[in-house]
Amino acid sequence: MLLDHLRWAVAPDQRRSMSIMSGGIAVFVSLGGLAMLLELPRVVAGVMAVIMLVAWVVAGCGVVGYCRWFYRSEVDEQTRR
């Protein structure tokens, strides 16, 4: 199940990859900003840190998917020439 979600996340699809990457970075930056602005209890800060790590990994999956799409489109274009 998790492996299927991972394959879906790194699939070479431009729009999906950009959305996943942008969403992951937005969550990461938002939680980081909240952690910097507010004085949070240790438990809440720990949960936020775990969520930030997950968001960073999700954004990384989006980057991989985008790179796969980019290189595949370039290879297809070069083979057409």
Coordinates of all heavy atoms in Angstrom, one line a residue:
M1 N 0.8 -1.2 0.0 CA 0.0 0.0 0.0 C 0.9 1.3 0.0 O 0.7 2.1 -0.8 CB -0.9 -0.1 1.2 CG -1.9 1.1 1.3 SD -3.3 0.7 0.4 CE -4.3 2.1 0.9
L2 N 1.8 1.3 0.9 CA 2.7 2.5 1.0 C 3.6 2.6 -0.3 O 3.8 3.7 -0.8 CB 3.6 2.4 2.2 CG 4.5 3.6 2.4 CD1 3.8 4.9 2.6 CD2 5.4 3.4 3.6
L3 N 4.0 1.4 -0.8 CA 4.8 1.4 -2.0 C 4.1 1.9 -3.2 O 4.6 2.6 -4.0 CB 5.4 0.0 -2.2 CG 6.5 -0.1 -3.3 CD1 7.6 0.7 -2.9 CD2 6.9 -1.6 -3.3
D4 N 2.8 1.6 -3.2 CA 1.9 2.1 -4.3 C 1.8 3.6 -4.3 O 1.8 4.3 -5.3 CB 0.5 1.4 -4.3 CG 0.6 0.0 -4.6 OD1 1.5 -0.4 -5.3 OD2 -0.3 -0.8 -4.1
H5 N 1.6 4.1 -3.1 CA 1.6 5.6 -2.9 C 2.9 6.3 -3.3 O 2.9 7.3 -3.9 CB 1.2 6.0 -1.5 CG -0.2 5.7 -1.1 ND1 -1.3 6.3 -1.7 CD2 -0.7 4.8 -0.2 CE1 -2.4 5.8 -1.2 NE2 -2.1 4.9 -0.3
L6 N 4.0 5.6 -3.0 CA 5.3 6.2 -3.3 C 5.5 6.1 -4.9 O 6.0 7.1 -5.4 CB 6.4 5.4 -2.6 CG 7.8 5.9 -2.9 CD1 8.0 7.3 -2.3 CD2 8.8 5.0 -2.2
R7 N 5.1 5.1 -5.5 CA 5.2 5.0 -7.0 C 4.3 6.1 -7.6 O 4.7 6.7 -8.6 CB 4.8 3.6 -7.5 CG 5.8 2.6 -7.3 CD 5.4 1.3 -7.9 NE 6.3 0.2 -7.6 CZ 6.0 -0.9 -7.0 NH1 4.7 -1.2 -6.8 NH2 6.9 -1.8 -6.7
W8 N 3.1 6.3 -7.0 CA 2.2 7.3 -7.5 C 2.9 8.7 -7.4 O 2.8 9.6 -8.3 CB 0.9 7.3 -6.8 CG -0.1 8.3 -7.2 CD1 -0.9 8.3 -8.3 CD2 -0.3 9.6 -6.6 NE1 -1.6 9.4 -8.3 CE2 -1.3 10.3 -7.3 CE3 0.2 10.2 -5.5 CZ2 -1.7 11.5 -7.0 CZ3 -0.2 11.4 -5.1 CH2 -1.2 12.1 -5.8
A9 N 3.5 9.0 -6.3 CA 4.1 10.3 -6.0 C 5.3 10.6 -6.9 O 5.6 11.7 -7.2 CB 4.5 10.4 -4.5
V10 N 6.1 9.6 -7.3 CA 7.3 9.8 -8.1 C 7.0 9.5 -9.6 O 8.0 9.5 -10.3 CB 8.5 9.0 -7.6 CG1 8.9 9.4 -6.2 CG2 8.3 7.5 -7.7
A11 N 5.8 9.4 -9.9 CA 5.4 9.1 -11.4 C 5.8 10.4 -12.2 O 5.7 11.5 -11.7 CB 4.0 8.8 -11.5
P12 N 6.2 10.2 -13.4 CA 6.7 11.3 -14.2 C 5.5 12.1 -14.8 O 5.2 12.0 -16.0 CB 7.5 10.7 -15.3 CG 7.0 9.3 -15.4 CD 6.6 8.9 -14.0
D13 N 4.8 12.9 -14.0 CA 3.7 13.7 -14.4 C 4.0 15.1 -13.9 O 4.1 15.3 -12.7 CB 2.4 13.2 -13.8 CG 1.2 13.9 -14.2 OD1 1.3 14.9 -14.9 OD2 0.1 13.5 -13.8
Q14 N 4.1 16.0 -14.9 CA 4.5 17.4 -14.5 C 3.6 18.1 -13.5 O 4.1 18.6 -12.5 CB 4.6 18.2 -15.8 CG 5.1 19.6 -15.5 CD 5.0 20.6 -16.7 OE1 4.3 20.3 -17.6 NE2 5.7 21.7 -16.6
R15 N 2.3 18.1 -13.8 CA 1.4 18.8 -12.9 C 1.3 18.2 -11.5 O 1.4 19.0 -10.5 CB 0.0 18.9 -13.5 CG 0.0 19.7 -14.8 CD -1.4 19.8 -15.3 NE -2.1 20.8 -14.5 CZ -3.2 21.4 -14.9 NH1 -3.7 21.1 -16.0 NH2 -3.7 22.4 -14.1
R16 N 1.2 16.9 -11.4 CA 1.2 16.3 -10.1 C 2.5 16.5 -9.4 O 2.4 16.8 -8.2 CB 0.9 14.8 -10.3 CG 0.8 14.1 -9.0 CD 0.6 12.6 -9.1 NE 0.0 12.1 -10.4 CZ 0.2 10.9 -10.9 NH1 1.0 10.1 -10.3 NH2 -0.4 10.6 -12.0
S17 N 3.6 16.3 -10.0 CA 4.9 16.5 -9.4 C 5.1 17.9 -8.8 O 5.5 18.1 -7.7 CB 6.0 16.2 -10.3 OG 6.0 14.8 -10.7
M18 N 4.7 18.9 -9.6 CA 4.8 20.3 -9.2 C 3.8 20.6 -8.0 O 4.2 21.3 -7.0 CB 4.5 21.3 -10.3 CG 5.6 21.3 -11.4 SD 7.1 21.9 -10.7 CE 6.8 23.6 -10.5
S19 N 2.6 20.0 -8.0 CA 1.7 20.1 -6.9 C 2.2 19.5 -5.6 O 2.1 20.1 -4.6 CB 0.3 19.5 -7.3 OG -0.2 20.2 -8.4
I20 N 2.7 18.3 -5.8 CA 3.3 17.6 -4.6 C 4.5 18.4 -4.0 O 4.6 18.6 -2.8 CB 3.7 16.1 -5.0 CG1 2.4 15.3 -5.2 CG2 4.5 15.5 -3.9 CD1 2.7 13.9 -5.8
M21 N 5.4 18.8 -4.9 CA 6.5 19.5 -4.5 C 6.1 20.8 -3.8 O 6.6 21.2 -2.7 CB 7.5 19.8 -5.6 CG 8.7 20.5 -5.3 SD 9.9 20.7 -6.7 CE 8.9 21.2 -8.0
S22 N 5.2 21.6 -4.4 CA 4.8 22.9 -3.8 C 4.1 22.7 -2.5 O 4.3 23.5 -1.6 CB 3.9 23.6 -4.8 OG 4.6 23.8 -6.0
G23 N 3.2 21.7 -2.5 CA 2.5 21.5 -1.2 C 3.4 21.1 -0.1 O 3.3 21.5 1.1
G24 N 4.4 20.2 -0.4 CA 5.3 19.8 0.7 C 6.2 20.9 1.2 O 6.4 21.1 2.4
I25 N 6.6 21.7 0.3 CA 7.5 22.9 0.7 C 6.6 23.9 1.5 O 7.1 24.5 2.5 CB 8.1 23.5 -0.5 CG1 9.2 22.6 -1.1 CG2 8.7 24.9 -0.2 CD1 9.8 23.0 -2.4
A26 N 5.4 24.1 1.0 CA 4.5 25.0 1.7 C 4.2 24.6 3.2 O 4.3 25.4 4.1 CB 3.2 25.2 1.0
V27 N 3.9 23.3 3.4 CA 3.7 22.8 4.7 C 5.0 22.9 5.6 O 5.0 23.3 6.7 CB 3.2 21.3 4.7 CG1 3.2 20.7 6.0 CG2 1.8 21.2 4.1
F28 N 6.1 22.6 5.0 CA 7.4 22.7 5.7 C 7.7 24.1 6.1 O 8.0 24.3 7.3 CB 8.5 22.1 4.8 CG 9.9 22.1 5.4 CD1 10.2 21.1 6.3 CD2 10.8 23.2 5.2 CE1 11.5 21.1 6.9 CE2 12.0 23.2 5.8 CZ 12.4 22.2 6.6
V29 N 7.5 25.0 5.2 CA 7.9 26.4 5.5 C 6.8 27.0 6.5 O 7.2 27.7 7.5 CB 7.9 27.3 4.2 CG1 8.0 28.7 4.5 CG2 9.1 26.8 3.4
S30 N 5.6 26.6 6.4 CA 4.5 27.1 7.3 C 4.8 26.7 8.7 O 4.7 27.5 9.7 CB 3.2 26.7 6.8 OG 2.9 27.2 5.6
L31 N 5.0 25.4 8.9 CA 5.3 24.9 10.2 C 6.6 25.4 10.8 O 6.7 25.7 12.0 CB 5.3 23.4 10.2 CG 3.9 22.7 10.0 CD1 4.0 21.2 9.9 CD2 2.9 23.1 11.0
G32 N 7.6 25.6 10.0 CA 8.8 26.2 10.4 C 8.6 27.6 10.9 O 9.2 28.0 11.9
G33 N 7.8 28.3 10.2 CA 7.5 29.7 10.6 C 6.8 29.8 11.9 O 7.1 30.6 12.7
L34 N 5.8 28.9 12.0 CA 5.0 28.9 13.3 C 5.9 28.5 14.4 O 5.8 29.1 15.5 CB 3.9 27.9 13.2 CG 2.7 28.3 12.4 CD1 1.7 27.2 12.3 CD2 2.0 29.5 13.1
A35 N 6.8 27.5 14.2 CA 7.7 27.1 15.3 C 8.7 28.2 15.7 O 9.1 28.4 16.9 CB 8.5 25.9 14.9
M36 N 9.1 29.1 14.7 CA 9.9 30.2 15.1 C 9.2 31.3 15.8 O 9.8 32.0 16.6 CB 10.6 30.7 13.8 CG 11.6 29.8 13.1 SD 13.0 29.4 14.2 CE 13.8 30.9 14.3
L37 N 8.0 31.6 15.4 CA 7.2 32.7 15.9 C 6.6 32.4 17.3 O 6.5 33.3 18.1 CB 6.1 33.1 14.9 CG 6.6 33.7 13.6 CD1 5.4 34.0 12.7 CD2 7.3 35.0 13.9
L38 N 6.2 31.2 17.5 CA 5.5 30.9 18.7 C 6.4 30.1 19.7 O 7.2 29.3 19.2 CB 4.2 30.1 18.4 CG 3.2 30.7 17.5 CD1 2.1 29.7 17.1 CD2 2.7 32.0 18.1
E39 N 6.2 30.2 20.9 CA 6.9 29.4 21.9 C 6.0 28.2 22.2 O 5.0 28.4 22.9 CB 7.2 30.2 23.2 CG 8.1 29.5 24.1 CD 8.6 30.4 25.2 OE1 8.8 31.6 25.0 OE2 8.9 29.9 26.3
L40 N 6.3 27.1 21.7 CA 5.5 25.9 21.8 C 6.0 24.9 22.8 O 7.2 24.9 23.1 CB 5.4 25.2 20.4 CG 4.9 26.1 19.3 CD1 5.1 25.3 18.0 CD2 3.4 26.3 19.5
P41 N 5.1 24.2 23.4 CA 5.5 23.1 24.3 C 6.4 22.1 23.5 O 6.2 21.9 22.3 CB 4.2 22.4 24.8 CG 3.2 23.4 24.5 CD 3.6 24.3 23.4
R42 N 7.2 21.4 24.2 CA 8.1 20.4 23.6 C 7.4 19.3 22.8 O 7.8 18.9 21.7 CB 9.0 19.7 24.6 CG 10.2 20.6 25.1 CD 10.9 19.8 26.1 NE 12.3 19.9 26.4 CZ 13.3 20.2 25.6 NH1 13.1 20.4 24.4 NH2 14.5 20.2 26.1
V43 N 6.3 18.9 23.3 CA 5.5 17.8 22.6 C 5.0 18.3 21.3 O 5.1 17.7 20.3 CB 4.4 17.3 23.5 CG1 3.5 16.3 22.8 CG2 4.9 16.7 24.8
V44 N 4.4 19.5 21.3 CA 3.9 20.1 20.1 C 5.0 20.4 19.1 O 4.9 20.1 17.9 CB 3.1 21.4 20.4 CG1 2.6 22.1 19.1 CG2 1.9 21.1 21.3
A45 N 6.1 20.9 19.6 CA 7.3 21.1 18.7 C 7.8 19.8 18.1 O 8.2 19.8 16.9 CB 8.4 21.9 19.5
G46 N 7.8 18.8 18.9 CA 8.2 17.5 18.4 C 7.3 16.9 17.3 O 7.8 16.4 16.3
V47 N 6.0 17.1 17.5 CA 5.0 16.6 16.5 C 5.2 17.5 15.2 O 5.2 16.9 14.1 CB 3.6 16.7 17.1 CG1 2.6 16.5 16.0 CG2 3.4 15.7 18.2
M48 N 5.4 18.8 15.4 CA 5.6 19.6 14.2 C 6.9 19.3 13.5 O 6.9 19.3 12.3 CB 5.6 21.1 14.7 CG 4.2 21.6 15.0 SD 4.3 23.3 15.6 CE 4.8 24.2 14.2
A49 N 7.9 18.9 14.2 CA 9.2 18.5 13.6 C 9.0 17.2 12.7 O 9.5 17.1 11.6 CB 10.2 18.3 14.6
V50 N 8.2 16.3 13.3 CA 7.9 15.1 12.5 C 7.1 15.4 11.3 O 7.4 14.9 10.2 CB 7.2 14.0 13.4 CG1 6.7 12.8 12.6 CG2 8.2 13.5 14.5
I51 N 6.1 16.2 11.4 CA 5.3 16.6 10.2 C 6.2 17.3 9.2 O 6.0 17.1 8.0 CB 4.1 17.4 10.7 CG1 3.1 16.6 11.5 CG2 3.3 18.0 9.5 CD1 2.0 17.4 12.2
M52 N 7.1 18.2 9.7 CA 7.9 18.9 8.8 C 8.9 17.9 8.0 O 9.1 18.1 6.8 CB 8.8 19.9 9.5 CG 8.0 21.1 10.0 SD 9.0 22.2 11.0 CE 10.2 22.8 9.9
L53 N 9.3 16.9 8.7 CA 10.2 15.9 8.1 C 9.4 15.1 7.0 O 9.9 14.9 5.9 CB 10.7 14.9 9.1 CG 11.6 13.8 8.5 CD1 12.8 14.3 7.9 CD2 11.9 12.8 9.6
V54 N 8.2 14.8 7.3 CA 7.3 14.1 6.3 C 7.0 15.0 5.1 O 7.1 14.6 4.0 CB 6.0 13.6 7.0 CG1 5.0 13.1 6.0 CG2 6.3 12.5 8.0
A55 N 6.8 16.3 5.4 CA 6.5 17.2 4.3 C 7.8 17.4 3.4 O 7.6 17.5 2.2 CB 6.1 18.6 4.8
W56 N 8.9 17.4 4.0 CA 10.2 17.5 3.2 C 10.4 16.2 2.3 O 10.8 16.3 1.2 CB 11.3 17.6 4.2 CG 12.6 18.0 3.5 CD1 13.7 17.1 3.3 CD2 13.0 19.2 3.0 NE1 14.7 17.8 2.6 CE2 14.3 19.1 2.4 CE3 12.3 20.4 2.9 CZ2 14.9 20.1 1.8 CZ3 13.0 21.5 2.2 CH2 14.3 21.3 1.7
V57 N 10.0 15.0 2.9 CA 10.1 13.8 2.1 C 9.1 13.8 0.9 O 9.4 13.4 -0.2 CB 9.9 12.6 3.0 CG1 9.8 11.3 2.2 CG2 11.1 12.4 4.0
V58 N 7.9 14.3 1.2 CA 6.9 14.4 0.2 C 7.4 15.4 -0.9 O 7.2 15.1 -2.1 CB 5.5 14.9 0.8 CG1 4.6 15.3 -0.3 CG2 5.0 13.8 1.6
A59 N 7.9 16.5 -0.5 CA 8.5 17.5 -1.5 C 9.6 16.8 -2.3 O 9.7 17.0 -3.6 CB 9.0 18.7 -0.9
G60 N 10.4 16.0 -1.7 CA 11.4 15.3 -2.4 C 10.9 14.3 -3.4 O 11.4 14.2 -4.5
C61 N 9.8 13.7 -3.1 CA 9.1 12.8 -4.1 C 8.6 13.6 -5.3 O 8.7 13.1 -6.4 CB 7.9 12.1 -3.4 SG 8.4 10.8 -2.3
G62 N 8.1 14.8 -5.0 CA 7.7 15.6 -6.1 C 8.9 16.0 -7.0 O 8.7 16.1 -8.2
V63 N 10.0 16.3 -6.4 CA 11.2 16.7 -7.2 C 11.6 15.5 -8.1 O 12.0 15.7 -9.2 CB 12.3 17.1 -6.3 CG1 13.6 17.2 -7.0 CG2 12.0 18.4 -5.6
V64 N 11.6 14.3 -7.5 CA 12.0 13.1 -8.3 C 11.0 12.9 -9.4 O 11.4 12.6 -10.6 CB 12.0 11.9 -7.4 CG1 12.1 10.6 -8.2 CG2 13.1 11.9 -6.4
G65 N 9.7 13.1 -9.2 CA 8.8 12.9 -10.3 C 8.9 14.0 -11.4 O 8.8 13.7 -12.5
Y66 N 9.2 15.2 -10.9 CA 9.4 16.3 -11.9 C 10.7 16.0 -12.7 O 10.7 16.2 -14.0 CB 9.5 17.6 -11.3 CG 9.7 18.7 -12.2 CD1 8.6 19.2 -12.9 CD2 10.9 19.3 -12.5 CE1 8.7 20.2 -13.8 CE2 11.1 20.3 -13.5 CZ 9.9 20.8 -14.1 OH 10.1 21.8 -15.0
C67 N 11.8 15.5 -12.1 CA 13.0 15.2 -12.8 C 12.8 14.1 -13.8 O 13.3 14.1 -14.9 CB 14.1 14.9 -11.9 SG 14.8 16.3 -11.0
R68 N 12.0 13.1 -13.4 CA 11.7 12.0 -14.3 C 10.9 12.4 -15.5 O 11.2 12.0 -16.6 CB 10.9 10.9 -13.5 CG 11.8 10.1 -12.6 CD 11.0 9.0 -11.9 NE 10.6 8.0 -12.9 CZ 9.6 7.2 -12.7 NH1 8.9 7.2 -11.5 NH2 9.3 6.3 -13.6
W69 N 10.0 13.3 -15.3 CA 9.2 13.9 -16.4 C 10.1 14.7 -17.3 O 10.0 14.6 -18.5 CB 8.0 14.7 -15.8 CG 7.4 15.5 -16.9 CD1 6.5 15.1 -17.8 CD2 7.7 16.9 -17.3 NE1 6.2 16.1 -18.7 CE2 6.9 17.2 -18.4 CE3 8.6 17.8 -16.8 CZ2 7.0 18.4 -19.0 CZ3 8.6 19.0 -17.4 CH2 7.8 19.3 -18.5
F70 N 10.9 15.5 -16.7 CA 11.7 16.4 -17.5 C 12.7 15.6 -18.4 O 12.8 15.9 -19.6 CB 12.5 17.4 -16.6 CG 13.4 18.3 -17.3 CD1 12.9 19.4 -17.9 CD2 14.8 18.1 -17.4 CE1 13.7 20.3 -18.6 CE2 15.6 19.0 -18.1 CZ 15.1 20.1 -18.7
Y71 N 13.4 14.7 -17.8 CA 14.3 13.9 -18.6 C 13.6 13.0 -19.6 O 14.2 12.9 -20.7 CB 15.2 13.1 -17.7 CG 16.2 13.9 -16.9 CD1 16.3 13.9 -15.5 CD2 17.1 14.7 -17.6 CE1 17.2 14.7 -14.9 CE2 18.0 15.5 -16.9 CZ 18.0 15.5 -15.6 OH 18.9 16.3 -14.9
R72 N 12.5 12.5 -19.3 CA 11.8 11.7 -20.2 C 11.3 12.5 -21.4 O 11.4 12.1 -22.6 CB 10.6 11.0 -19.6 CG 9.8 10.2 -20.6 CD 8.6 9.5 -20.0 NE 9.1 8.4 -19.2 CZ 8.3 7.6 -18.5 NH1 7.0 7.8 -18.4 NH2 8.8 6.6 -17.9
S73 N 10.8 13.7 -21.2 CA 10.4 14.6 -22.3 C 11.6 15.0 -23.1 O 11.5 15.1 -24.4 CB 9.6 15.8 -21.8 OG 10.5 16.6 -21.0
E74 N 12.7 15.3 -22.5 CA 13.9 15.6 -23.3 C 14.4 14.4 -24.1 O 14.8 14.6 -25.3 CB 15.0 16.1 -22.4 CG 14.8 17.5 -21.8 CD 14.7 18.5 -22.8 OE1 15.5 18.5 -23.8 OE2 13.8 19.4 -22.7
V75 N 14.4 13.3 -23.6 CA 14.8 12.1 -24.3 C 13.9 11.8 -25.5 O 14.3 11.5 -26.6 CB 14.9 10.8 -23.4 CG1 15.1 9.6 -24.2 CG2 16.1 11.0 -22.5
D76 N 12.6 12.0 -25.2 CA 11.6 11.8 -26.3 C 11.8 12.8 -27.4 O 11.7 12.4 -28.6 CB 10.2 11.9 -25.8 CG 9.8 10.7 -24.9 OD1 10.5 9.7 -25.0 OD2 8.8 10.8 -24.2
E77 N 12.1 14.0 -27.1 CA 12.3 15.0 -28.1 C 13.6 14.8 -28.9 O 13.6 14.9 -30.1 CB 12.4 16.4 -27.4 CG 12.6 17.5 -28.4 CD 12.6 18.9 -27.7 OE1 12.0 19.1 -26.7 OE2 13.3 19.8 -28.3
Q78 N 14.7 14.3 -28.2 CA 15.9 14.0 -28.9 C 15.7 12.8 -29.8 O 16.4 12.8 -30.9 CB 17.0 13.8 -27.9 CG 17.4 15.0 -27.1 CD 17.9 16.1 -28.0 OE1 18.6 15.9 -29.0 NE2 17.5 17.3 -27.7
T79 N 15.0 11.8 -29.4 CA 14.8 10.6 -30.3 C 13.9 11.0 -31.5 O 14.0 10.3 -32.5 CB 14.2 9.5 -29.5 OG1 12.9 9.9 -28.9 CG2 15.1 9.0 -28.5
R80 N 13.0 12.0 -31.4 CA 12.2 12.4 -32.5 C 13.1 13.1 -33.6 O 12.7 13.1 -34.7 CB 11.1 13.3 -32.1 CG 9.9 12.5 -31.6 CD 8.7 13.5 -31.3 NE 8.8 13.8 -29.9 CZ 8.5 14.9 -29.3 NH1 8.2 15.9 -30.0 NH2 8.6 15.0 -28.0
R81 N 14.1 13.7 -33.2 CA 15.0 14.5 -34.1 C 15.8 13.6 -35.0 O 16.2 12.7 -35.1 CB 15.9 15.5 -33.4 CG 15.1 16.6 -32.8 CD 16.0 17.6 -32.2 NE 15.2 18.6 -31.5 CZ 15.8 19.7 -31.0 NH1 17.1 19.8 -31.0 NH2 15.0 20.6 -30.5

